Amino acid sequence: MIVITIDQRKSRSGPDKVESLLSRLASDYEATRGFERTAGDEIQGVFEDGTVAVILALDVAHTGEWSVGIGVGSVQTPMPRETRAGRGPAFEYARDAVERAKNTSASLALSGPGDEAERLEAELQILALVNARRTDSSAEAGILVSKGLTQRQVAASLEISQQAVSARLTSGLWYEAARLADVAGRALDSYSMTMDEGEPA
């Protein structure tokens, strides 16, 4: 199982943004157990789908307003209806991950048993840094492509040449990052499913 813990950065010097994030995540992502505020400015959700978990984690980390911790492991069953009542190693790993995420430039970390966690964390942190360092123009073109538009359609929408769209996508590593995110999501899915068979040593 996959548990994601998200903690607001610099919450003491700014307004509480938890409720608005909870609303957005409930609208945009399907969870096994939806996000709930667990304590203060921290929220937690439970997922079975690794691809969804990766997309969500990168989405939230990209804002720069949150630290995102992904925990992978077993959970006590039957799972309670409320996320904050959940127990098990996945929740403990998520706690470790979010604390480490606070000290990374990617604002994201992943914890779990075995070597696979370290590899997945490295991939996700690279993706988070690529996302963070894109120019606004590259991000604008990439978001439209991610919604299913062709480069020609993006060019028409932005009133620029198709060549300019291609250049923006290339500079932002959009296709490469999308491929890595897809691979990482499927790998996280497989890694999580092994927890049903017992955690590796």
Side-chain angles (χ1 to χ4, degrees):
M1 200 68 74
I2 303 162
V3 176
I4 298 181
T5 299
I6 302 172
D7 193 25
Q8 186 175 337
R9 300 173 73 92
K10 301 179 180 178
S11 57
R12 295 182 180 179
S13 58
D16 187 316
K17 301 177 181 179
V18 168
E19 292 304 320
S20 61
L21 181 62
L22 283 172
S23 177
R24 182 168 78 83
L25 295 180
S27 173
D28 294 349
Y29 298 98
E30 184 174 348
T32 303
R33 291 290 186 274
F35 279 94
E36 295 178 351
R37 188 191 292 260
T38 52
D41 51 11
E42 181 181 278
I43 64 174
Q44 196 167 64
V46 182
F47 295 80
E48 294 180 72
D49 190 323
T51 297
V52 171
V54 163
I55 294 171
L56 183 152
L58 292 171
D59 176 17
V60 175
H62 180 58
T63 66
E65 298 176 340
W66 308 90
S67 298
V68 182
I70 304 172
V72 187
S74 59
V75 298
Q76 290 183 8
T77 57
M79 287 184 60
R81 293 178 62 87
E82 294 187 342
T83 304
R84 56 177 162 263
R87 297 289 183 273
F91 290 90
E92 297 165 12
Y93 284 125
R95 163 59 49 201
D96 171 76
V98 78
E99 290 301 321
R100 290 192 298 106
K102 295 175 183 179
N103 298 312
T104 70
S105 54
S107 299
L108 187 157
L110 183 148
S111 295
D115 296 334
E116 182 71 356
E118 185 176 2
R119 184 184 69 80
L120 280 167
E121 178 180 76
E123 292 178 353
L124 295 180
Q125 288 180 343
I126 286 292
L127 283 168
L129 291 172
V130 168
N131 290 345
R133 295 179 186 186
R134 287 181 176 131
T135 63
D136 290 342
S137 60
S138 175
E140 183 180 39
I143 288 170
L144 292 175
V145 167
S146 69
K147 292 180 178 179
L149 275 67
T150 65
Q151 287 193 25
R152 178 173 295 183
Q153 291 170 327
V154 173
S157 175
L158 299 179
E159 299 182 342
I160 59 177
S161 69
Q162 190 170 338
Q163 184 177 12
V165 171
S166 178
R168 292 182 184 188
L169 295 173
T170 299
S171 68
L173 300 176
W174 274 96
Y175 293 118
E176 295 85 354
R179 182 183 178 192
L180 180 56
D182 180 62
V183 170
R186 287 186 278 116
L188 178 57
D189 209 38
S190 297
Y191 177 44
S192 174
M193 288 195 308
T194 66
M195 300 304 117
D196 295 334
E197 303 167 4
E199 296 183 10

PDB file of all heavy atoms in Angstrom, residues 137-138 141 151 154-155 158-171:
ATOM      1  N   SER A 137       7.199  29.601 -19.900  1.00  0.00           N
ATOM      2  CA  SER A 137       6.742  29.335 -21.261  1.00  0.00           C
ATOM      3  C   SER A 137       6.797  27.844 -21.585  1.00  0.00           C
ATOM      4  O   SER A 137       5.905  27.307 -22.254  1.00  0.00           O
ATOM      5  CB  SER A 137       7.578  30.129 -22.273  1.00  0.00           C
ATOM      6  OG  SER A 137       8.944  29.770 -22.195  1.00  0.00           O
ATOM      7  N   SER A 138       7.825  27.162 -21.089  1.00  0.00           N
ATOM      8  CA  SER A 138       7.924  25.727 -21.295  1.00  0.00           C
ATOM      9  C   SER A 138       6.803  25.006 -20.561  1.00  0.00           C
ATOM     10  O   SER A 138       6.175  24.085 -21.098  1.00  0.00           O
ATOM     11  CB  SER A 138       9.278  25.212 -20.814  1.00  0.00           C
ATOM     12  OG  SER A 138       9.337  23.801 -20.897  1.00  0.00           O
ATOM     13  N   ALA A 141       3.393  25.376 -22.404  1.00  0.00           N
ATOM     14  CA  ALA A 141       3.252  24.474 -23.548  1.00  0.00           C
ATOM     15  C   ALA A 141       3.094  23.026 -23.088  1.00  0.00           C
ATOM     16  O   ALA A 141       2.261  22.277 -23.624  1.00  0.00           O
ATOM     17  CB  ALA A 141       4.464  24.607 -24.469  1.00  0.00           C
ATOM     18  N   GLN A 151       1.054  19.379 -30.930  1.00  0.00           N
ATOM     19  CA  GLN A 151       1.913  20.564 -30.990  1.00  0.00           C
ATOM     20  C   GLN A 151       1.290  21.639 -31.882  1.00  0.00           C
ATOM     21  O   GLN A 151       1.402  22.833 -31.585  1.00  0.00           O
ATOM     22  CB  GLN A 151       3.301  20.180 -31.505  1.00  0.00           C
ATOM     23  CG  GLN A 151       4.140  19.405 -30.495  1.00  0.00           C
ATOM     24  CD  GLN A 151       5.595  19.319 -30.895  1.00  0.00           C
ATOM     25  OE1 GLN A 151       6.118  20.156 -31.628  1.00  0.00           O
ATOM     26  NE2 GLN A 151       6.282  18.292 -30.400  1.00  0.00           N
ATOM     27  N   VAL A 154      -1.353  23.326 -29.825  1.00  0.00           N
ATOM     28  CA  VAL A 154      -0.722  24.179 -28.815  1.00  0.00           C
ATOM     29  C   VAL A 154      -0.234  25.469 -29.455  1.00  0.00           C
ATOM     30  O   VAL A 154      -0.412  26.558 -28.902  1.00  0.00           O
ATOM     31  CB  VAL A 154       0.444  23.441 -28.126  1.00  0.00           C
ATOM     32  CG1 VAL A 154       1.214  24.394 -27.208  1.00  0.00           C
ATOM     33  CG2 VAL A 154      -0.066  22.246 -27.331  1.00  0.00           C
ATOM     34  N   ALA A 155       0.371  25.345 -30.623  1.00  0.00           N
ATOM     35  CA  ALA A 155       0.861  26.528 -31.327  1.00  0.00           C
ATOM     36  C   ALA A 155      -0.274  27.499 -31.628  1.00  0.00           C
ATOM     37  O   ALA A 155      -0.136  28.718 -31.435  1.00  0.00           O
ATOM     38  CB  ALA A 155       1.553  26.110 -32.623  1.00  0.00           C
ATOM     39  N   LEU A 158      -1.467  29.186 -28.322  1.00  0.00           N
ATOM     40  CA  LEU A 158      -0.528  30.166 -27.765  1.00  0.00           C
ATOM     41  C   LEU A 158      -0.145  31.255 -28.779  1.00  0.00           C
ATOM     42  O   LEU A 158       0.592  32.181 -28.435  1.00  0.00           O
ATOM     43  CB  LEU A 158       0.737  29.458 -27.266  1.00  0.00           C
ATOM     44  CG  LEU A 158       0.541  28.429 -26.152  1.00  0.00           C
ATOM     45  CD1 LEU A 158       1.880  27.799 -25.775  1.00  0.00           C
ATOM     46  CD2 LEU A 158      -0.117  29.063 -24.935  1.00  0.00           C
ATOM     47  N   GLU A 159      -0.611  31.066 -30.010  1.00  0.00           N
ATOM     48  CA  GLU A 159      -0.315  32.018 -31.089  1.00  0.00           C
ATOM     49  C   GLU A 159       1.197  32.149 -31.318  1.00  0.00           C
ATOM     50  O   GLU A 159       1.751  33.246 -31.417  1.00  0.00           O
ATOM     51  CB  GLU A 159      -0.947  33.384 -30.811  1.00  0.00           C
ATOM     52  CG  GLU A 159      -2.473  33.320 -30.715  1.00  0.00           C
ATOM     53  CD  GLU A 159      -3.103  34.679 -30.482  1.00  0.00           C
ATOM     54  OE1 GLU A 159      -2.388  35.608 -30.063  1.00  0.00           O
ATOM     55  OE2 GLU A 159      -4.314  34.815 -30.709  1.00  0.00           O
ATOM     56  N   ILE A 160       1.834  31.004 -31.402  1.00  0.00           N
ATOM     57  CA  ILE A 160       3.262  30.933 -31.705  1.00  0.00           C
ATOM     58  C   ILE A 160       3.453  29.859 -32.766  1.00  0.00           C
ATOM     59  O   ILE A 160       2.511  29.128 -33.105  1.00  0.00           O
ATOM     60  CB  ILE A 160       4.117  30.601 -30.458  1.00  0.00           C
ATOM     61  CG1 ILE A 160       3.689  29.258 -29.855  1.00  0.00           C
ATOM     62  CG2 ILE A 160       4.014  31.722 -29.421  1.00  0.00           C
ATOM     63  CD1 ILE A 160       4.525  28.813 -28.679  1.00  0.00           C
ATOM     64  N   SER A 161       4.654  29.725 -33.291  1.00  0.00           N
ATOM     65  CA  SER A 161       4.912  28.722 -34.307  1.00  0.00           C
ATOM     66  C   SER A 161       5.022  27.338 -33.680  1.00  0.00           C
ATOM     67  O   SER A 161       5.319  27.190 -32.491  1.00  0.00           O
ATOM     68  CB  SER A 161       6.204  29.046 -35.059  1.00  0.00           C
ATOM     69  OG  SER A 161       7.320  28.863 -34.208  1.00  0.00           O
ATOM     70  N   GLN A 162       4.783  26.313 -34.518  1.00  0.00           N
ATOM     71  CA  GLN A 162       4.941  24.945 -34.040  1.00  0.00           C
ATOM     72  C   GLN A 162       6.398  24.676 -33.668  1.00  0.00           C
ATOM     73  O   GLN A 162       6.687  23.922 -32.740  1.00  0.00           O
ATOM     74  CB  GLN A 162       4.466  23.960 -35.106  1.00  0.00           C
ATOM     75  CG  GLN A 162       4.368  22.527 -34.616  1.00  0.00           C
ATOM     76  CD  GLN A 162       3.679  21.622 -35.614  1.00  0.00           C
ATOM     77  OE1 GLN A 162       2.927  22.073 -36.465  1.00  0.00           O
ATOM     78  NE2 GLN A 162       3.943  20.328 -35.514  1.00  0.00           N
ATOM     79  N   GLN A 163       7.313  25.309 -34.379  1.00  0.00           N
ATOM     80  CA  GLN A 163       8.736  25.167 -34.062  1.00  0.00           C
ATOM     81  C   GLN A 163       9.035  25.711 -32.669  1.00  0.00           C
ATOM     82  O   GLN A 163       9.827  25.137 -31.914  1.00  0.00           O
ATOM     83  CB  GLN A 163       9.580  25.898 -35.107  1.00  0.00           C
ATOM     84  CG  GLN A 163      11.084  25.730 -34.905  1.00  0.00           C
ATOM     85  CD  GLN A 163      11.896  26.415 -35.994  1.00  0.00           C
ATOM     86  OE1 GLN A 163      11.365  27.203 -36.774  1.00  0.00           O
ATOM     87  NE2 GLN A 163      13.175  26.119 -36.052  1.00  0.00           N
ATOM     88  N   ALA A 164       8.385  26.832 -32.304  1.00  0.00           N
ATOM     89  CA  ALA A 164       8.581  27.409 -30.973  1.00  0.00           C
ATOM     90  C   ALA A 164       8.028  26.484 -29.897  1.00  0.00           C
ATOM     91  O   ALA A 164       8.607  26.346 -28.806  1.00  0.00           O
ATOM     92  CB  ALA A 164       7.914  28.778 -30.886  1.00  0.00           C
ATOM     93  N   VAL A 165       6.897  25.843 -30.190  1.00  0.00           N
ATOM     94  CA  VAL A 165       6.322  24.884 -29.237  1.00  0.00           C
ATOM     95  C   VAL A 165       7.298  23.732 -29.020  1.00  0.00           C
ATOM     96  O   VAL A 165       7.571  23.329 -27.883  1.00  0.00           O
ATOM     97  CB  VAL A 165       4.970  24.338 -29.747  1.00  0.00           C
ATOM     98  CG1 VAL A 165       4.496  23.185 -28.861  1.00  0.00           C
ATOM     99  CG2 VAL A 165       3.932  25.437 -29.774  1.00  0.00           C
ATOM    100  N   SER A 166       7.830  23.207 -30.107  1.00  0.00           N
ATOM    101  CA  SER A 166       8.782  22.098 -30.019  1.00  0.00           C
ATOM    102  C   SER A 166      10.003  22.481 -29.190  1.00  0.00           C
ATOM    103  O   SER A 166      10.491  21.700 -28.366  1.00  0.00           O
ATOM    104  CB  SER A 166       9.215  21.670 -31.424  1.00  0.00           C
ATOM    105  OG  SER A 166      10.160  20.625 -31.358  1.00  0.00           O
ATOM    106  N   ALA A 167      10.481  23.707 -29.385  1.00  0.00           N
ATOM    107  CA  ALA A 167      11.655  24.177 -28.645  1.00  0.00           C
ATOM    108  C   ALA A 167      11.351  24.272 -27.152  1.00  0.00           C
ATOM    109  O   ALA A 167      12.190  23.924 -26.310  1.00  0.00           O
ATOM    110  CB  ALA A 167      12.097  25.534 -29.171  1.00  0.00           C
ATOM    111  N   ARG A 168      10.150  24.745 -26.817  1.00  0.00           N
ATOM    112  CA  ARG A 168       9.771  24.859 -25.401  1.00  0.00           C
ATOM    113  C   ARG A 168       9.656  23.479 -24.750  1.00  0.00           C
ATOM    114  O   ARG A 168      10.083  23.287 -23.604  1.00  0.00           O
ATOM    115  CB  ARG A 168       8.447  25.604 -25.273  1.00  0.00           C
ATOM    116  CG  ARG A 168       8.531  27.067 -25.659  1.00  0.00           C
ATOM    117  CD  ARG A 168       7.190  27.765 -25.475  1.00  0.00           C
ATOM    118  NE  ARG A 168       7.249  29.153 -25.944  1.00  0.00           N
ATOM    119  CZ  ARG A 168       6.263  30.041 -25.758  1.00  0.00           C
ATOM    120  NH1 ARG A 168       5.164  29.677 -25.129  1.00  0.00           N
ATOM    121  NH2 ARG A 168       6.398  31.269 -26.208  1.00  0.00           N
ATOM    122  N   LEU A 169       9.086  22.542 -25.475  1.00  0.00           N
ATOM    123  CA  LEU A 169       8.938  21.189 -24.939  1.00  0.00           C
ATOM    124  C   LEU A 169      10.298  20.516 -24.781  1.00  0.00           C
ATOM    125  O   LEU A 169      10.549  19.813 -23.798  1.00  0.00           O
ATOM    126  CB  LEU A 169       8.042  20.358 -25.850  1.00  0.00           C
ATOM    127  CG  LEU A 169       6.590  20.813 -25.964  1.00  0.00           C
ATOM    128  CD1 LEU A 169       5.862  20.000 -27.031  1.00  0.00           C
ATOM    129  CD2 LEU A 169       5.872  20.689 -24.631  1.00  0.00           C
ATOM    130  N   THR A 170      11.186  20.753 -25.733  1.00  0.00           N
ATOM    131  CA  THR A 170      12.525  20.166 -25.669  1.00  0.00           C
ATOM    132  C   THR A 170      13.319  20.734 -24.498  1.00  0.00           C
ATOM    133  O   THR A 170      13.959  19.993 -23.746  1.00  0.00           O
ATOM    134  CB  THR A 170      13.284  20.433 -26.981  1.00  0.00           C
ATOM    135  OG1 THR A 170      12.580  19.817 -28.063  1.00  0.00           O
ATOM    136  CG2 THR A 170      14.707  19.876 -26.914  1.00  0.00           C
ATOM    137  N   SER A 171      13.269  22.049 -24.329  1.00  0.00           N
ATOM    138  CA  SER A 171      14.021  22.672 -23.235  1.00  0.00           C
ATOM    139  C   SER A 171      13.504  22.229 -21.874  1.00  0.00           C
ATOM    140  O   SER A 171      14.260  22.159 -20.900  1.00  0.00           O
ATOM    141  CB  SER A 171      13.954  24.201 -23.346  1.00  0.00           C
ATOM    142  OG  SER A 171      12.635  24.666 -23.097  1.00  0.00           O
TER     143      SER A 171
END
